[in-house]
Amino acid sequence: MHPPLDLGLAKARPMTATVYSERLGAISDEQLAASAARLGLGAFVSAAPIAGGMHGQNLFLTTSAGEFVFRGRPHWVRGPGETAYRRDDRVQFAKEAYFVRRLHEETGAPVPWPYWRGDASDICGWPYVIMPSLPGECCRE
């Protein structure tokens, strides 16, 4: 029998579930720690809600490796000629990853790079993305 995988939980604060936004629902520190560890982003330190952003999909995530944005619960999709939305979790993040990569490789614009994708749904119930937090303020009209 193998010892349990160390996901950096020993250094994290006690595990609790927090609702960061209505869309994300309750997410435990353990889930965030496991998400960051799976992508090699250090031990979980803390998380905080983000006032702006895309439809409540984002939260600030701090690990021993730095400051990040965690993005989860991707949009459902509706194809040509379809009237109802259907679950296809990988579409939104795959498109975002494509455009972030192109902007990173072909422009000098500041973009959240690298753009790490957790495509499995076993930790949070849906795929997620973690990206570096960019400096600055969120602007809204």
Side-chain angles (χ1 to χ4, degrees), residues 7-38:
L7 297 176
L9 302 178
K11 295 179 181 127
R13 65 183 186 203
M15 301 305 158
T16 59
T18 302
V19 176
Y20 294 96
S21 71
E22 184 178 334
R23 182 178 185 97
L24 290 175
I27 302 175
S28 71
D29 294 352
E30 184 176 42
Q31 288 170 300
L32 293 171
S35 298
R38 177 171 284 165

Side-chain angles (χ1 to χ4, degrees), residues 3-139:
L5 177 64
D6 179 8
L7 297 176
L9 302 178
K11 295 179 181 127
R13 65 183 186 203
M15 301 305 158
T16 59
T18 302
V19 176
Y20 294 96
S21 71
E22 184 178 334
R23 182 178 185 97
L24 290 175
I27 302 175
S28 71
D29 294 352
E30 184 176 42
Q31 288 170 300
L32 293 171
S35 298
R38 177 171 284 165
L39 298 177
L41 300 176
F44 174 80
V45 174
S46 65
I50 294 178
M54 293 291 296
H55 313 288
Q57 289 183 286
N58 304 323
L59 61 87
F60 288 120
L61 174 67
T62 302
T63 74
S64 59
E67 303 287 325
F68 301 95
V69 172
F70 175 95
R71 186 170 177 78
R73 200 171 285 259
H75 299 300
W76 287 28
V77 299
R78 182 173 63 188
E82 295 178 336
T83 57
Y85 286 90
R86 61 184 159 73
R87 185 178 185 137
D88 190 348
D89 291 340
R90 287 166 182 77
V91 171
Q92 177 188 358
F93 295 158
K95 285 181 182 179
E96 289 177 6
Y98 170 80
F99 286 107
V100 169
R101 177 180 287 280
R102 296 288 307 267
L103 288 167
H104 170 71
E105 291 175 350
E106 298 179 24
T107 74
V111 295
W113 187 260
Y115 186 91
W116 297 282
R117 289 173 51 196
D119 287 329
S121 298
D122 60 327
I123 296 174
C124 297
W126 23 259
Y128 60 93
V129 168
I130 299 177
M131 63 194 94
S133 180
L134 296 177
E137 294 183 27
C138 180
C139 299

